[in-house]
Amino acid sequence: LALRVAAAPELETLTVYSTPGCPHCVRAKRALDDARLAYEVIDVSDATARKELEARSGVSSVPQVYLGDERVGGADDTVAALAAGTFDGV
């Protein structure tokens, strides 16, 4: 899965569905921070937000990282995409 982060942030939004205190969420966000990629965090501690995540991805586990409408996956997938260079960030 090759993913590209657009130079113009309005083109592709990077979204992380997360919960407070989740070590895998921290790992995914740290990897994005290290890559200097801006992202929006959606806290799915709230039942409504969790249902939105489940409807969007079919899973309820966190983190779930999206680039636009494309699911990157969880922490392992995000870290692997960044390490492989398939996440081309600005």
Side-chain angles (χ1 to χ4, degrees):
L1 176 63
L3 302 168
R4 299 188 75 73
V5 177
E10 67 274 10
L11 297 179
E12 294 288 352
T13 300
L14 192 54
T15 306
V16 179
Y17 289 88
S18 178
T19 57
C22 163
H24 300 293
C25 300
V26 170
R27 186 169 154 243
K29 291 185 282 186
R30 184 176 299 134
L32 294 170
D33 289 341
D34 289 348
R36 298 182 181 185
L37 296 173
Y39 54 89
E40 171 189 9
V41 175
I42 297 177
D43 181 354
V44 294
S45 297
D46 172 71
T48 302
R50 179 71 67 151
K51 286 180 183 177
E52 176 190 321
L53 170 62
E54 290 173 3
R56 185 174 188 184
S57 66
V59 298
S60 61
S61 62
V62 290
Q64 292 299 318
V65 178
Y66 277 83
L67 178 59
D69 291 329
E70 191 166 352
R71 183 173 170 261
V72 176
D76 289 342
D77 301 314
T78 301
V79 170
L82 289 165
T86 55
F87 237 123
D88 294 330
V90 174

